[in-house]
Coordinates of all heavy atoms in Angstrom, one line a residue:
M543 N -4.2 69.5 4.6 CA -4.8 68.2 4.2 C -4.8 67.1 5.2 O -5.7 66.4 5.3 CB -4.2 67.7 2.8 CG -4.9 66.5 2.3 SD -6.7 66.4 2.2 CE -7.0 67.7 1.0
D546 N -7.7 67.2 7.4 CA -8.9 66.6 6.8 C -8.9 65.1 6.9 O -9.9 64.5 7.2 CB -9.0 67.1 5.4 CG -9.3 68.6 5.2 OD1 -9.9 69.2 6.1 OD2 -8.9 69.1 4.2
I547 N -7.7 64.6 6.6 CA -7.6 63.1 6.6 C -7.8 62.6 8.1 O -8.5 61.6 8.3 CB -6.3 62.7 6.1 CG1 -6.3 62.9 4.5 CG2 -6.0 61.2 6.4 CD1 -5.0 62.6 3.9
D548 N -7.2 63.3 9.0 CA -7.4 62.9 10.5 C -8.8 63.0 10.9 O -9.3 62.1 11.6 CB -6.5 63.7 11.4 CG -5.0 63.4 11.2 OD1 -4.7 62.4 10.6 OD2 -4.2 64.3 11.6
L550 N -11.4 62.6 9.0 CA -12.2 61.5 8.3 C -11.9 60.2 9.1 O -12.9 59.4 9.3 CB -11.7 61.4 6.9 CG -12.2 62.4 5.9 CD1 -11.5 62.3 4.5 CD2 -13.7 62.4 5.8
K551 N -10.7 60.0 9.5 CA -10.4 58.8 10.2 C -11.1 58.7 11.6 O -11.7 57.7 12.0 CB -8.9 58.7 10.5 CG -8.1 58.4 9.2 CD -6.6 58.4 9.6 CE -5.7 58.1 8.4 NZ -4.3 58.2 8.7
F554 N -14.8 58.0 11.0 CA -14.9 56.5 10.7 C -14.8 55.7 12.0 O -15.7 54.8 12.2 CB -13.9 56.1 9.7 CG -14.1 54.8 9.1 CD1 -15.0 54.7 8.0 CD2 -13.6 53.6 9.6 CE1 -15.2 53.5 7.4 CE2 -13.8 52.4 9.0 CZ -14.6 52.3 7.9
Q559 N -19.4 55.8 9.6 CA -18.7 55.3 8.4 C -19.2 55.9 7.1 O -18.5 56.3 6.3 CB -18.7 53.8 8.3 CG -17.8 53.1 9.3 CD -18.5 52.8 10.6 OE1 -19.6 53.0 10.8 NE2 -17.7 52.2 11.5
A560 N -20.5 55.9 6.9 CA -21.1 56.4 5.7 C -20.8 57.9 5.5 O -20.5 58.3 4.4 CB -22.6 56.2 5.7
E561 N -20.8 58.6 6.5 CA -20.5 60.1 6.4 C -19.0 60.2 6.1 O -18.7 61.1 5.2 CB -20.8 60.7 7.8 CG -20.6 62.2 7.8 CD -20.9 62.8 9.1 OE1 -21.5 62.1 10.0 OE2 -20.5 64.0 9.3
A562 N -18.2 59.5 6.7 CA -16.8 59.6 6.4 C -16.4 59.2 5.0 O -15.6 59.9 4.3 CB -16.0 58.7 7.4
I563 N -17.1 58.1 4.5 CA -16.8 57.7 3.2 C -17.3 58.7 2.2 O -16.6 59.0 1.2 CB -17.4 56.3 2.9 CG1 -16.6 55.2 3.7 CG2 -17.5 56.0 1.4 CD1 -17.3 53.9 3.7
D564 N -18.5 59.3 2.4 CA -19.0 60.3 1.5 C -18.1 61.5 1.4 O -17.8 62.0 0.3 CB -20.4 60.7 1.9 CG -21.5 59.7 1.6 OD1 -21.2 58.7 0.9 OD2 -22.5 59.8 2.2
E565 N -17.6 61.9 2.6 CA -16.7 63.1 2.6 C -15.3 62.7 2.0 O -14.7 63.6 1.3 CB -16.5 63.5 4.0 CG -17.7 64.2 4.6 CD -17.5 64.7 6.0 OE1 -16.3 65.0 6.4 OE2 -18.5 64.8 6.7
C566 N -14.9 61.5 2.2 CA -13.6 61.1 1.6 C -13.7 61.1 0.0 O -12.8 61.6 -0.7 CB -13.2 59.7 2.1 SG -11.5 59.2 1.6
E567 N -14.8 60.5 -0.5 CA -15.0 60.5 -1.9 C -15.1 61.9 -2.5 O -14.6 62.2 -3.6 CB -16.3 59.7 -2.2 CG -16.1 58.2 -2.0 CD -15.3 57.5 -3.0 OE1 -14.8 58.0 -4.0 OE2 -15.1 56.2 -2.8
A568 N -15.8 62.8 -1.8 CA -15.9 64.2 -2.2 C -14.5 64.9 -2.2 O -14.3 65.6 -3.2 CB -16.8 65.0 -1.3
L569 N -13.7 64.7 -1.2 CA -12.4 65.2 -1.2 C -11.5 64.7 -2.4 O -10.8 65.4 -3.1 CB -11.6 64.9 0.1 CG -11.9 65.9 1.2 CD1 -11.3 65.3 2.5 CD2 -11.5 67.3 0.9
R570 N -11.7 63.4 -2.7 CA -11.0 62.8 -3.8 C -11.4 63.4 -5.1 O -10.6 63.6 -6.0 CB -11.3 61.3 -3.9 CG -10.4 60.5 -3.0 CD -10.4 59.0 -3.5 NE -9.7 59.0 -4.8 CZ -10.3 58.7 -6.0 NH1 -11.6 58.4 -6.0 NH2 -9.7 58.7 -7.1
A571 N -12.7 63.7 -5.2 CA -13.2 64.3 -6.5 C -12.5 65.7 -6.7 O -12.2 66.1 -7.8 CB -14.7 64.5 -6.4
R572 N -12.2 66.4 -5.6 CA -11.6 67.7 -5.7 C -10.1 67.6 -5.9 O -9.4 68.4 -6.4 CB -11.9 68.5 -4.4 CG -13.3 69.1 -4.4 CD -13.4 70.1 -3.3 NE -13.1 69.5 -2.0 CZ -13.9 69.4 -1.0 NH1 -15.1 70.0 -1.1 NH2 -13.5 68.9 0.1
E573 N -9.5 66.5 -5.3 CA -8.0 66.3 -5.4 C -7.8 64.8 -5.9 O -7.3 64.0 -5.2 CB -7.4 66.4 -4.0 CG -7.5 67.8 -3.5 CD -6.8 68.0 -2.2 OE1 -5.7 67.4 -2.1 OE2 -7.4 68.6 -1.3
P574 N -8.0 64.6 -7.2 CA -7.9 63.2 -7.7 C -6.4 62.7 -7.7 O -6.2 61.4 -7.7 CB -8.4 63.3 -9.1 CG -8.3 64.7 -9.5 CD -8.5 65.5 -8.2
A575 N -5.5 63.5 -7.6 CA -4.1 63.0 -7.6 C -3.5 62.8 -6.1 O -2.4 62.3 -6.0 CB -3.1 64.1 -8.2
N576 N -4.4 63.0 -5.1 CA -3.9 62.7 -3.7 C -4.0 61.3 -3.4 O -5.1 60.7 -3.2 CB -4.8 63.6 -2.8 CG -4.3 63.5 -1.4 OD1 -3.8 62.5 -0.9 ND2 -4.5 64.6 -0.7
R577 N -2.8 60.6 -3.4 CA -2.8 59.2 -3.2 C -3.2 58.8 -1.7 O -3.7 57.7 -1.5 CB -1.5 58.6 -3.6 CG -1.3 58.7 -5.1 CD -0.1 57.9 -5.5 NE 1.2 58.3 -4.8 CZ 2.3 58.5 -5.4 NH1 2.4 58.3 -6.7 NH2 3.4 58.9 -4.7
D578 N -2.9 59.7 -0.8 CA -3.3 59.4 0.6 C -4.8 59.3 0.7 O -5.3 58.4 1.4 CB -2.7 60.5 1.6 CG -1.3 60.5 1.7 OD1 -0.7 59.4 1.5 OD2 -0.7 61.5 1.9
L579 N -5.5 60.2 0.1 CA -7.0 60.1 0.1 C -7.5 58.8 -0.6 O -8.4 58.2 -0.2 CB -7.6 61.3 -0.6 CG -7.7 62.6 0.3 CD1 -8.2 63.7 -0.6 CD2 -8.7 62.4 1.4
L580 N -6.8 58.5 -1.7 CA -7.2 57.3 -2.5 C -7.1 56.1 -1.6 O -7.9 55.2 -1.5 CB -6.3 57.2 -3.7 CG -6.6 56.1 -4.7 CD1 -8.0 56.2 -5.2 CD2 -5.6 56.2 -5.9
R581 N -5.9 56.0 -0.9 CA -5.7 54.9 0.0 C -6.7 54.8 1.1 O -7.2 53.8 1.5 CB -4.3 54.9 0.6 CG -3.2 54.4 -0.3 CD -1.9 54.4 0.5 NE -0.8 54.5 -0.5 CZ -0.1 55.7 -0.7 NH1 -0.4 56.7 0.0 NH2 0.8 55.7 -1.6
L582 N -7.0 56.0 1.7 CA -7.9 56.0 2.8 C -9.3 55.6 2.4 O -10.0 54.8 3.1 CB -8.0 57.5 3.4 CG -9.0 57.7 4.5 CD1 -8.6 56.8 5.7 CD2 -8.9 59.1 5.0
C583 N -9.8 56.1 1.3 CA -11.1 55.8 0.8 C -11.2 54.3 0.5 O -12.2 53.6 0.9 CB -11.5 56.5 -0.5 SG -11.8 58.3 -0.2
A584 N -10.2 53.7 -0.2 CA -10.1 52.3 -0.4 C -10.2 51.5 0.8 O -10.9 50.5 1.0 CB -8.9 51.9 -1.3
S585 N -9.4 51.9 1.8 CA -9.4 51.1 3.1 C -10.7 51.2 3.8 O -11.2 50.2 4.4 CB -8.3 51.7 4.0 OG -7.0 51.6 3.5
M586 N -11.4 52.4 3.8 CA -12.7 52.5 4.4 C -13.7 51.6 3.7 O -14.5 50.9 4.4 CB -13.2 53.9 4.3 CG -12.5 54.9 5.2 SD -13.1 56.6 5.0 CE -12.3 57.4 6.3
H587 N -13.6 51.5 2.4 CA -14.6 50.7 1.6 C -14.3 49.2 2.0 O -15.3 48.4 2.1 CB -14.4 50.9 0.1 CG -15.1 52.1 -0.3 ND1 -16.4 52.3 -0.3 CD2 -14.6 53.3 -0.9 CE1 -16.8 53.5 -0.8 NE2 -15.6 54.1 -1.1
V588 N -13.1 48.8 2.2 CA -12.8 47.4 2.5 C -13.4 47.0 3.9 O -14.1 46.0 4.0 CB -11.2 47.2 2.6 CG1 -11.0 45.9 3.3 CG2 -10.7 47.1 1.2
V589 N -13.2 47.9 4.8 CA -13.8 47.7 6.2 C -15.3 47.6 6.2 O -15.8 46.8 6.9 CB -13.2 48.8 7.2 CG1 -13.9 48.7 8.5 CG2 -11.8 48.7 7.3
T590 N -15.9 48.4 5.4 CA -17.4 48.3 5.3 C -17.9 47.2 4.4 O -19.1 47.1 4.2 CB -17.9 49.7 4.9 OG1 -17.5 50.1 3.6 CG2 -17.6 50.8 5.9
G591 N -17.0 46.5 3.7 CA -17.5 45.4 2.9 C -17.8 45.8 1.5 O -18.3 45.0 0.7
A592 N -17.5 47.0 1.0 CA -17.7 47.4 -0.3 C -16.4 47.1 -1.2 O -15.7 48.0 -1.6 CB -18.0 48.9 -0.4
Y593 N -16.3 45.8 -1.4 CA -15.1 45.3 -2.0 C -14.9 45.7 -3.4 O -13.8 46.0 -3.9 CB -15.0 43.8 -1.9 CG -15.0 43.3 -0.4 CD1 -16.1 42.6 0.0 CD2 -14.0 43.6 0.4 CE1 -16.2 42.1 1.4 CE2 -14.0 43.2 1.8 CZ -15.1 42.5 2.2 OH -15.1 42.1 3.5
G594 N -16.0 45.8 -4.2 CA -15.9 46.2 -5.6 C -15.3 47.6 -5.7 O -14.5 47.9 -6.5
R595 N -15.9 48.5 -4.9 CA -15.4 49.9 -4.9 C -13.9 50.0 -4.4 O -13.1 50.7 -5.0 CB -16.3 50.8 -4.1 CG -15.8 52.2 -4.0 CD -16.0 52.9 -5.4 NE -15.5 54.3 -5.3 CZ -14.8 54.9 -6.2 NH1 -14.6 54.3 -7.3 NH2 -14.5 56.2 -6.1
A596 N -13.6 49.2 -3.4 CA -12.2 49.2 -2.9 C -11.3 48.7 -3.9 O -10.2 49.3 -4.1 CB -12.2 48.3 -1.6
L597 N -11.6 47.7 -4.6 CA -10.8 47.1 -5.6 C -10.5 48.1 -6.8 O -9.4 48.3 -7.3 CB -11.4 45.8 -6.2 CG -10.5 45.1 -7.2 CD1 -9.2 44.7 -6.7 CD2 -11.3 43.8 -7.7
A598 N -11.6 48.8 -7.2 CA -11.4 49.9 -8.2 C -10.5 51.0 -7.7 O -9.6 51.4 -8.6 CB -12.8 50.5 -8.5
L599 N -10.6 51.3 -6.5 CA -9.7 52.4 -6.0 C -8.2 51.9 -5.9 O -7.3 52.6 -6.2 CB -10.2 52.9 -4.6 CG -11.4 53.7 -4.6 CD1 -12.0 53.9 -3.2 CD2 -11.3 55.0 -5.4
F600 N -8.1 50.6 -5.5 CA -6.7 50.1 -5.4 C -6.1 49.9 -6.8 O -4.9 50.2 -6.9 CB -6.7 48.7 -4.6 CG -6.8 48.8 -3.1 CD1 -7.8 48.1 -2.4 CD2 -5.9 49.6 -2.5 CE1 -7.8 48.3 -1.1 CE2 -6.0 49.7 -1.1 CZ -6.9 49.1 -0.4
R601 N -6.9 49.6 -7.8 CA -6.4 49.5 -9.1 C -6.0 50.9 -9.6 O -5.0 51.1 -10.3 CB -7.4 48.9 -10.1 CG -7.5 47.4 -9.9 CD -8.5 46.8 -10.9 NE -8.5 45.4 -10.7 CZ -9.6 44.6 -10.9 NH1 -10.8 45.2 -11.2 NH2 -9.5 43.4 -10.7
E602 N -6.8 51.9 -9.3 CA -6.5 53.3 -9.6 C -5.1 53.7 -8.9 O -4.3 54.3 -9.6 CB -7.6 54.2 -9.2 CG -7.4 55.7 -9.6 CD -8.6 56.5 -9.2 OE1 -9.8 56.0 -9.1 OE2 -8.4 57.7 -8.9
L603 N -5.0 53.3 -7.7 CA -3.7 53.7 -7.0 C -2.6 53.0 -7.7 O -1.5 53.5 -7.9 CB -3.9 53.2 -5.5 CG -2.7 53.4 -4.6 CD1 -2.3 54.9 -4.6 CD2 -2.9 52.9 -3.3

Side-chain angles (χ1 to χ4, degrees):
M543 179 51 62
D546 291 332
I547 290 175
D548 290 343
L550 288 172
K551 289 177 181 179
F554 194 85
Q559 286 92 2
E561 183 181 347
I563 289 171
D564 288 344
E565 289 181 25
C566 191
E567 292 285 359
L569 278 173
R570 273 204 65 248
R572 286 190 301 236
E573 296 185 39
N576 188 325
R577 290 191 304 223
D578 292 332
L579 278 173
L580 185 57
R581 280 188 206 100
L582 179 60
C583 288
S585 298
M586 288 179 174
H587 283 295
V588 166
V589 172
T590 59
Y593 301 115
R595 179 66 181 141
L597 184 58
L599 291 171
F600 282 127
R601 285 185 178 143
E602 187 177 328
L603 180 62

